[in-house]
Amino acid sequence: MDAVIDDFMSFIGGDVIIGYNNAAFDMNLIYDYLTEYREVSFRNNYIDILHVARRCLTMLNDHKLGTISKYYSLNTTGEHRALKDCYLTKDCYDRLCTEYGDNAFRKGTTRKGSYTIHYTAETLALQELQNVLESIIEDGNVSLTEFTFLKGWMENHRDLQGNYPFDRVFNALDNVLEDGKVTSDELEELQILFTEFVDPVSCRSCHEEITSLYEQHVCVTGDFDYGNRSDVCKLIEEVGGIIDKSVKKATNYVVVGSKGSDNWKTGNYGSKIQKAMELSDKGLDIKIIEEKDFIPCLLIIRQNGESQKKEIPEDIVCQEANPTNHPCEGIVSEEIYEEGILNRISLEKGEWKQAVRDMLNELVKEYELPVGSLYLADNYGKMEKNKLISHSVCIWEPSYPQMPNEKPEMTKLVMTIAYSTVQSRPDDLDITIKDTQEGDLHAFLPHDAIMINRTKSDCKNGVIRIRMKDTSPYIVDYIRKHTIYCINGYVSKESKFGCCSSFEKCSDARKCVHKNKLYSKACMYRANLDQGRIFYGKNRNVD
């Protein structure tokens, strides 16, 4: 590899790399080898024809290179040989360009160059409908000529029935023609309806004051002036809201970021807003609200303490820990519970925070994770920036290859730790556990802990309170257990890939040897290695 890598880089220059299924395997090899042999990052853009075909050629039963080639009547003689497959990939690329144009290769920037947003023929037709409606309402009224043109367009695209908003538009036109006449009032009503479809955020946005989000389901979309989308979600959860990753029947609010998004397929809105409109038209009470109206309400709710959960009597104590039920049984030795110094941490002096940080650093070494990938974050108020309100135990997956001066940014929340809001016990600790199973919240609970909340809508989330005494046994061990649980179940932020350039070394070592053990969670070969299935090298046990 070292002998040809310079010739390879000279050959490709700054060109875009076009390949078939290259995103899952080839690009990872190139990135890894350049990092290893030249200590440089590969920055060329690339296009994966497989991804393009899956979104454009939806009528095919599968999207193998041979299938796509036969669909375009290409000569496949000699396929499955490197050079021949290169020619077939190039020819398929040319055919897709001719048939679908630039829409099939629309680009957006990512860490590894460019990806493509590929649209199905169905989506492209709906986008065309959006453009037709925009042109009709542009002058402020719907003319009879425009009505006739739209009616003809809809008739020619009856295959779109079942897609929103096609059905609503089609039915509206049918209703207008029911009596055989088209009046000026009906055209005016169509103008209002079409305007809602073109810009639903402005037309349907809720402007009412929100006084509480406790147990309310919220879905966010777009980019926010307030900060990253994760910052907005965290703020919603702080006041008792529940984050929905997609719009569903239980969703109460869809919050739209002021900056919009380049990925919205219609320009003015994306699939989340489209789904909210569809469900709302069916009678469900789903409100679309803009950031400028939502964030001020959210900050007032937090300032007024509306996020406080209903308290249960303090004499209702959780069951004592049962180590045999915990998935991390045996990771922490019994000596730690009996004699370990971590059990004698003073909450009053705040020594628990440094003990937690030390423990997280030890886990980084034990699990061979990237430096700084486990950390305890200090969370400050947005209104009072100097007011420390809580702490978060976080997992951070650095980019691979790691970018210079990359700052830690949470990719997985283990738990949130805050001082109690109960006035009579201001020094107690409230620990919120996320993404855990029913038994895990109770596992290894300190003996002086009580359960204070478990939401009906999400039984996997809950809060425990560590009751303040001179010392609180097990607190650091308890945090350690759940951190390990989240490490074991961690899912990489990267897309799945076949394997990296170290697959032979991993096979010989019988385990993953990648330098970024969080990134390599996306490696499908690592999943096989973890199950003892070895495909390469001297330890090969799978044919």
Side-chain angles (χ1 to χ4, degrees), residues 302-357:
R302 187 178 67 174
Q303 188 175 7
N304 292 340
E306 293 293 336
S307 63
Q308 294 183 19
K309 311 296 188 301
K310 297 178 181 178
E311 301 291 341
I312 66 172
E314 292 196 352
D315 57 353
I316 301 179
V317 182
C318 288
Q319 62 185 24
E320 293 187 2
N322 182 2
T324 60
N325 292 334
H326 199 278
C328 299
E329 176 188 359
I331 293 177
V332 180
S333 65
E334 292 298 326
E335 287 76 15
I336 291 182
Y337 295 108
E338 298 299 329
E339 304 294 336
I341 191 171
L342 293 182
N343 294 337
R344 290 159 175 79
I345 302 301
S346 171
L347 296 179
E348 188 173 10
K349 296 179 181 179
E351 294 176 2
W352 66 270
K353 289 185 284 188
Q354 186 56 51
V356 168
R357 290 189 171 100

Side-chain angles (χ1 to χ4, degrees), residues 109-148:
T109 301
T110 67
R111 176 179 60 80
K112 290 184 177 179
S114 294
Y115 67 91
T116 53
I117 301 175
H118 314 293
Y119 297 124
T120 64
E122 190 174 81
T123 300
L124 292 174
L126 289 172
Q127 288 178 344
E128 185 178 342
L129 173 59
Q130 176 85 1
N131 293 333
V132 170
L133 295 178
E134 284 182 350
S135 64
I136 288 176
I137 68 172
E138 189 174 9
D139 59 359
N141 64 83
V142 180
S143 68
L144 185 58
T145 302
E146 291 170 331
F147 174 89
T148 304

Side-chain angles (χ1 to χ4, degrees), residues 198-471:
V198 170
D199 191 5
V201 177
S202 298
C203 295
R204 297 197 179 199
S205 183
C206 165
H207 299 288
E208 67 182 43
E209 182 181 358
I210 301 173
T211 58
S212 176
L213 282 178
Y214 180 61
E215 290 197 352
Q216 295 289 293
H217 288 256
V218 184
C219 183
V220 299
T221 181
D223 299 322
F224 289 76
D225 286 326
Y226 177 83
N228 295 331
R229 195 180 299 181
S230 59
D231 295 331
V232 178
C233 291
K234 184 176 180 181
L235 187 57
I236 293 169
E237 290 179 323
E238 284 180 4
V239 300
I242 301 166
I243 299 298
D244 288 344
K245 293 183 179 179
S246 60
V247 178
K248 49 191 179 183
K249 292 182 179 180
T251 302
N252 302 108
Y253 296 96
V254 176
V255 183
V256 186
S258 298
K259 294 182 178 179
S261 174
D262 293 335
N263 293 337
W264 283 349
K265 63 183 182 182
T266 66
N268 291 332
Y269 60 94
S271 58
K272 291 180 180 178
I273 299 173
Q274 182 180 8
K275 186 66 174 179
M277 293 166 59
E278 183 178 1
L279 293 177
S280 180
D281 288 346
K282 293 179 179 179
L284 294 175
D285 186 20
I286 299 179
K287 296 180 175 65
I288 297 174
I289 184 168
E290 296 179 80
E291 177 185 359
K292 63 183 179 64
D293 297 317
F294 181 76
I295 294 296
C297 292
L298 195 56
L299 295 175
I300 292 173
I301 292 171
R302 187 178 67 174
Q303 188 175 7
N304 292 340
E306 293 293 336
S307 63
Q308 294 183 19
K309 311 296 188 301
K310 297 178 181 178
E311 301 291 341
I312 66 172
E314 292 196 352
D315 57 353
I316 301 179
V317 182
C318 288
Q319 62 185 24
E320 293 187 2
N322 182 2
T324 60
N325 292 334
H326 199 278
C328 299
E329 176 188 359
I331 293 177
V332 180
S333 65
E334 292 298 326
E335 287 76 15
I336 291 182
Y337 295 108
E338 298 299 329
E339 304 294 336
I341 191 171
L342 293 182
N343 294 337
R344 290 159 175 79
I345 302 301
S346 171
L347 296 179
E348 188 173 10
K349 296 179 181 179
E351 294 176 2
W352 66 270
K353 289 185 284 188
Q354 186 56 51
V356 168
R357 290 189 171 100
D358 292 342
M359 176 270 295
L360 293 176
N361 289 333
E362 289 299 320
L363 284 181
V364 166
K365 296 177 183 178
E366 180 180 344
Y367 282 80
E368 300 177 334
L369 302 178
V371 175
S373 56
L374 301 178
Y375 64 97
L376 181 68
D378 296 331
N379 304 321
Y380 292 89
K382 295 294 183 182
M383 301 294 288
E384 301 178 63
K385 296 187 180 297
N386 294 325
K387 183 179 179 181
L388 184 64
I389 58 174
S390 64
H391 307 273
S392 297
V393 179
C394 307
I395 299 177
W396 165 55
E397 179 186 337
S399 300
Y400 182 78
Q402 189 165 350
M403 308 300 289
N405 303 317
E406 185 176 7
K407 295 181 179 180
E409 183 175 345
M410 183 187 70
T411 49
K412 173 72 176 180
L413 176 65
V414 176
M415 63 176 62
T416 300
I417 308 168
Y419 285 103
S420 170
T421 55
V422 178
Q423 294 182 354
S424 61
R425 308 188 68 86
D427 295 322
D428 286 2
L429 290 180
D430 288 353
I431 298 181
T432 304
I433 305 295
K434 298 290 184 181
D435 298 329
T436 57
Q437 298 175 353
E438 176 69 28
D440 301 325
L441 186 63
H442 297 82
F444 294 104
L445 278 179
H447 297 298
D448 53 3
I450 64 169
M451 178 78 76
I452 64 171
N453 177 63
R454 179 173 291 283
T455 63
K456 295 180 180 178
S457 57
D458 190 353
C459 65
K460 293 184 179 180
N461 294 340
V463 180
I464 65 165
R465 172 160 297 150
I466 307 296
R467 303 186 65 178
M468 177 61 182
K469 293 184 178 180
D470 293 336
T471 61

Side-chain angles (χ1 to χ4, degrees), residues 142-189:
V142 180
S143 68
L144 185 58
T145 302
E146 291 170 331
F147 174 89
T148 304
F149 170 80
L150 179 59
K151 181 63 177 176
W153 190 96
M154 302 291 285
E155 291 286 356
N156 292 330
H157 291 81
R158 281 181 174 270
D159 57 308
L160 292 177
Q161 286 182 324
N163 291 278
Y164 189 89
F166 181 90
D167 290 349
R168 278 290 312 278
V169 176
F170 193 89
N171 292 336
L173 297 180
D174 266 357
N175 291 336
V176 170
L177 287 174
E178 188 174 7
D179 58 1
K181 300 178 181 179
V182 181
T183 66
S184 58
D185 289 341
E186 288 173 331
L187 292 177
E188 187 175 340
E189 290 177 3

Side-chain angles (χ1 to χ4, degrees), residues 468-510:
M468 177 61 182
K469 293 184 178 180
D470 293 336
T471 61
S472 181
Y474 311 135
I475 177 174
V476 178
D477 296 326
Y478 182 72
I479 296 173
R480 185 179 192 272
K481 285 290 186 181
H482 281 285
T483 304
I484 292 174
Y485 179 82
C486 289
I487 292 173
N488 291 337
Y490 181 80
V491 177
S492 173
K493 64 183 181 181
E494 300 294 338
S495 301
K496 291 285 186 181
F497 59 89
C499 58
C500 69
S501 60
S502 301
F503 61 92
E504 291 183 348
K505 296 178 181 177
C506 294
S507 299
D508 291 342
R510 297 178 183 270

